[in-house]
Structures are given as structure tokens and as C-alpha cells.
């Protein structure tokens, strides 16, 4: 029984990996488009306000293994077509901002760009996930101009502060998606860390505003 499951898992992985090369090129181009938009915004804001609003930007394409795992978790058909239809985070860009107010300001300016279509916004800052996870998620479509014509590609943008990123990165390593049955005290401790980080983020913002208004 287990052997049959392993056989079908590796067949799925080979099948998806084979077709993934072309898909990856398309999503890589979409990542470049989105990343450039945030880099331009950062340059522009830096020159007009004399400070940095975006600390850094990262991008990644989901691996075939991670695509299969997500489709399985959602009990969806495992194929390239199904992933293109059902997953909105095959391409993901992370924008790490200085302050919480920068996140909302940058998201608003970005959303106003005429070639960006907003599919969905999930505000996990005002409504954190039960784990304590906080970030602003935007699912967007961006046009990419290929030799054969224009394609609108879906990209997930996650905007968060350095502090939110610190928590999410470590929690991802420690616990997230591990399918482990862990004592509730561990999730409580991680949540307590997220709460402390929220307090620090808010206090840093207040100090920044005080200094700015001097
Ligand atoms: P990875 O490895 O980062 O690509 P679902 O995950 O199915 O519940 P959905 O619709 O995919 O939900 O989107 P959601 O929950 O809005 O955001 C998913 C992404 O946000 C995740 O991608 C993570 O990057 C991040 N995320 C969401 N919740 C948490 C959390 O509790 N902890 C951490 N560290 N990150 C989180 P993936 O594909 O799950 O993972």
C-alpha cells in the first residue's frame, strides 16, 4: 500500500517537474515585473522623504514538491493545470518594510498602478492568523509581455515589517507545516513571541512618529 503511494508520489513529481520548466520562466518574469515596481517605488520615496521605506525585497517560485504538497493538503487534483488554476502563490514576492504604516502606504500606492489587477487582499496585520502570523497579503495579476503576446500572471505579494519577518521566518523553520502533534504550550509560546513582536513594532512606530514630528 505504502509502496504504491510512493510510486504515485514520485510519478506526480516527475510529471510536474517536466512541465514546470516553461511555467517557471513565465512566473520568473512576473516576479521581475513586480519586484521592479517595488524597487522603483522605494527609490522614489527615498528621494522625496529622505528615508528608506522598504528594507529589502525577496522573490521565490514554489518548488514542484511544495506545489504537490499544497495540492494534496487541499485535496485537489495533482497536475500542472490544477496548480495553475488553484494556486495563487506559485510566484511570491516578499516586501519587508520599515514600519507598519509603510506597509499600508506602499500597498495603497502599488494597488493604484493601472496595470495591476487586485484579486484579493488578506490583512493578517489587523486580523492575525491563530498562529500569531502577521503580514499583509495581496494576490495580484500583472501583465507580462512575451514574444507570443501578453499574459496576465498571478503573484502573491506579502508585505511585512522586519519584526514580522523575523517571527514568520523562524516559526516557519521551527514548526509551520510540519504536521507534528506538538504540545499546545509550544504554539502558545510562539504566539506569545508574536505578541511581544507586535508590541515592539508598535512602539518603534510611535518613537519614529515622535521624532518625525519634532
Ligand atoms: P510557503 O512555504 O511560505 O510557500 P493555506 O496555507 O492553504 O491556509 P493560502 O490560501 O495559501 O492558505 O494563503 P494564506 O494563508 O493567506 O497564506 C499562505 C502563505 O502565507 C504561506 O505560504 C506562508 O508563506 C504564509 N503563512 C501563512 N500562515 C503562516 C503561519 O502561520 N506561519 C508562517 N510562518 N507563515 C505563514 P505557504 O504556501 O503555506 O508556505
Amino acid at each position: 500500500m505504502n509502496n504504491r503511494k510512493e510510486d504515485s508520489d514520485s510519478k506526480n513529481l516527475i510529471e510536474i517537474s517536466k512541465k514546470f520548466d516553461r511555467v517557471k520562466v513565465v512566473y520568473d518574469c512576473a516576479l521581475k515585473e513586480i519586484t521592479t515596481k517595488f524597487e522603483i517605488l522605494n527609490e522614489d520615496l527615498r528621494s522625496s522623504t529622505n528615508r528608506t521605506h522598504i528594507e529589502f525585497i525577496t522573490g521565490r517560485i514554489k518548488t514542484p514538491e511544495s506545489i504537490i504538497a499544497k495540492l494534496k493538503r487541499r485535496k485537489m487534483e495533482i497536475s500542472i493545470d490544477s496548480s495553475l488554476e488553484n494556486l495563487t502563490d506559485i510566484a511570491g514576492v516578499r516586501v519587508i518594510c520599515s514600519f507598519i504604516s509603510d506597509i499600508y502606504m506602499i500597498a495603497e500606492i502599488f494597488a493604484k498602478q493601472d496595470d495591476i489587477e487586485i484579486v484579493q487582499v488578506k490583512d493578517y496585520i489587523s486580523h492575525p492568523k491563530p498562529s500569531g502570523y502577521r503580514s499583509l497579503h495581496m494576490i495580484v495579476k500583472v501583465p507580462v509581455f512575451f514574444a507570443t503576446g501578453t499574459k496576465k500572471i498571478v503573484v502573491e505579494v506579502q508585505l511585512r515589517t522586519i519584526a514580522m519577518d523575523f517571527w514568520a521566518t523562524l516559526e516557519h523553520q521551527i514548526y509551520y507545516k510540519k504536521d507534528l502533534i506538538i504540545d499546545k504550550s509550544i504554539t502558545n509560546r510562539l504566539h506569545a513571541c508574536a505578541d511581544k513582536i507586535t508590541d515592539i513594532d508598535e512602539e518603534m512606530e510611535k518613537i519614529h512618529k515622535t521624532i518625525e514630528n519634532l
Side-chain angles (χ1 to χ4, degrees), residues 31-204:
L31 279 190
K32 279 191 192 142
E33 293 278 0
I34 298 285
T35 303
T36 304
K37 282 176 177 294
F38 283 107
E39 281 169 356
I40 292 172
L41 250 174
N42 200 26
E43 281 303 304
D44 183 21
L45 289 169
R46 196 190 344 240
S47 79
S48 62
T49 63
N50 244 335
R51 75 167 178 89
T52 302
H53 296 254
I54 296 175
E55 298 292 335
F56 60 94
I57 305 165
T58 60
R60 67 102 184 89
I61 304 290
K62 233 176 169 49
T63 59
E65 287 86 348
S66 180
I67 289 176
I68 293 172
K70 194 156 193 169
L71 289 172
K72 264 191 184 169
R73 270 205 310 279
R74 294 184 171 181
K75 302 198 181 352
M76 285 168 170
E77 188 198 301
I78 299 177
S79 67
I80 276 282
D81 288 345
S82 164
S83 63
L84 298 183
E85 208 172 298
N86 298 307
L87 302 186
T88 51
D89 64 343
I90 295 180
V93 173
R94 216 163 257 168
V95 182
I96 311 304
C97 299
S98 312
F99 297 101
I100 301 166
S101 57
D102 291 332
I103 295 176
Y104 290 107
M105 181 192 59
I106 284 159
E108 198 187 326
I109 302 171
F110 170 72
K112 278 191 194 142
Q113 301 191 357
D114 345 328
D115 54 348
I116 290 293
E117 185 186 324
I118 304 294
V119 178
Q120 196 183 11
V121 176
K122 298 188 223 174
D123 188 346
Y124 297 129
I125 298 175
S126 57
H127 298 96
K129 287 199 138 190
S131 59
Y133 174 80
R134 291 160 70 240
S135 284
L136 182 70
H137 288 195
M138 298 171 96
I139 313 286
V140 302
K141 281 188 185 170
V142 63
V144 185
F145 301 90
F146 295 102
T148 47
T150 309
K151 273 196 183 129
K152 283 196 160 195
I153 311 297
V154 179
V155 177
E156 180 184 79
V157 181
Q158 299 181 346
L159 296 110
R160 45 172 88 148
T161 60
I162 312 164
M164 293 173 196
D165 191 53
F166 160 76
W167 184 91
T169 303
L170 295 192
E171 193 254 8
H172 198 285
Q173 262 187 48
I174 296 170
Y175 175 69
Y176 183 57
K177 290 200 305 194
K178 293 269 190 311
D179 289 337
L180 300 173
I181 302 176
I182 287 183
D183 196 298
K184 183 97 177 85
S185 74
I186 298 286
T187 46
N188 287 345
R189 282 165 69 189
L190 283 167
H191 203 293
C193 290
D195 291 342
K196 283 183 195 153
I197 279 166
T198 303
D199 290 345
I200 293 171
D201 248 347
E202 288 173 358
E203 178 62 0
M204 291 299 268

